[in-house]
Amino acid sequence: MDIRPIRTDDDHRAALAAIEACWGAPEGSEQGDKLDVLLALVDIYEAKRWPLAIDDSFDPVDVLRYAIDELGHTQSELAELFGSRSRASEVLGRRRALTVEMIHRIAEAWKIPADLLVRPYKVERAA
């Protein structure tokens, strides 16, 4: 088992690829043990690299804006996930609520924990 500390974003990407390759390995097997160790290392790296100070005012739209502003994602990527530029704009402008399908797509594509996206938040209604 060749596992090293995760110190850079490149190391992080490599660890995520290794996790994907090990995904579904039986617990207790060599691949399963490797998966457990990699998951722990990635969790520690992500907590240090992208700390999230979550309070009651921190909502799913804030999470999306953080992903766009700080993690290198774009509103165009979000539009691709939603199938529409206007839908992405409406969500970011708090005029449309996230659906379960949207949350699932974001969580899968951007590796954002879904529990950060399912929190209740206020949606502005058009006048």
Side-chain angles (χ1 to χ4, degrees), residues 24-39:
E27 192 171 323
S29 68
E30 185 175 344
Q31 288 293 81
D33 291 347
K34 181 176 180 179
L35 178 62
D36 289 343
V37 172
L38 286 169
L39 287 170

Side-chain angles (χ1 to χ4, degrees), residues 7 12 46 101 104 110 127:
R7 294 190 176 106
H12 180 251
E46 289 176 352
E101 181 64 27
H104 176 73
W110 290 5

Side-chain angles (χ1 to χ4, degrees), residues 2 51 62 84 117:
D2 182 32
D62 294 327
S84 162
L117 301 170

Side-chain angles (χ1 to χ4, degrees), residues 13-71:
R13 279 188 285 279
L16 291 176
I19 286 170
E20 191 169 329
C22 294
W23 200 255
E27 192 171 323
S29 68
E30 185 175 344
Q31 288 293 81
D33 291 347
K34 181 176 180 179
L35 178 62
D36 289 343
V37 172
L38 286 169
L39 287 170
L41 289 172
V42 165
D43 190 40
I44 292 166
Y45 177 78
E46 289 176 352
K48 287 180 184 175
R49 175 72 168 90
W50 301 295
L52 290 176
I54 299 173
D55 61 24
D56 290 338
S57 65
F58 192 78
D59 67 30
V61 175
D62 294 327
V63 172
L64 294 176
R65 292 207 175 276
Y66 180 85
I68 290 170
D69 296 341
E70 302 295 329
L71 303 181

